[in-house]
Amino acid sequence: MRFRVAIAGCHRMLQPQLAGHNFASAFAAEPETELVAVYDRGAQTRADFVHCWGEIPAYDDYTAMLREVQPDLICIATRQTLHAAEIEEAATFGVRGILCDKPLATSLIESDRIL
């Protein structure tokens, strides 16, 4: 089985080499994963990501990406103040695996919401 992966926040993933915070390269190296979509607020960042990784649907709307792509896994690497809301939304859309860059949340209240 191949897991369908979407990435949220890709500004550190614009080169194919394995490197710190380059989660796209880790997924590309894992034969059981397939990168199916990317979300980022920056139009140029999205374009650079597609140039590096190929014709992957690139979204400027996180909710639309989750709704349309329905990934098995989401890798959240956006600004830390967005993590809690993006985790909650992924869970609402039934994403089975949620991988989040640190920190998971910025407060105990956010942590409680995520749980």
Side-chain angles (χ1 to χ4, degrees):
M1 174 180 183
R2 289 189 80 187
F3 294 99
R4 301 173 69 249
V5 180
I7 293 177
C10 62
H11 67 282
R12 293 182 181 164
M13 304 175 211
L14 305 178
Q15 298 178 27
Q17 295 82 14
L18 285 169
H21 295 278
N22 189 347
F23 303 112
S25 64
F27 290 122
E30 175 49 57
E32 293 183 9
T33 61
E34 175 187 5
L35 190 55
V36 295
V38 66
Y39 156 78
D40 199 278
R41 289 183 175 180
Q44 186 61 53
T45 302
R46 289 190 310 273
D48 291 344
F49 187 91
V50 169
H51 178 75
C52 178
W53 295 104
E55 289 301 316
I56 298 164
Y59 291 82
D60 64 354
D61 183 319
Y62 179 73
T63 303
M65 179 185 72
L66 293 174
R67 183 183 324 104
E68 293 172 20
V69 176
Q70 299 178 348
D72 300 310
L73 306 172
I74 182 77
C75 177
I76 298 173
T78 54
R79 191 177 70 227
Q80 63 189 14
T81 57
L82 301 173
H83 289 179
E86 290 173 343
I87 290 168
E88 289 175 300
E89 193 159 7
T92 299
F93 277 93
V95 178
R96 297 182 322 179
I98 301 172
L99 311 165
C100 186
D101 200 3
K102 62 183 180 182
L104 186 64
T106 58
S107 71
L108 291 175
I109 292 170
E110 284 183 352
S111 296
D112 288 340
R113 281 192 355 237
I114 292 168
L115 292 174

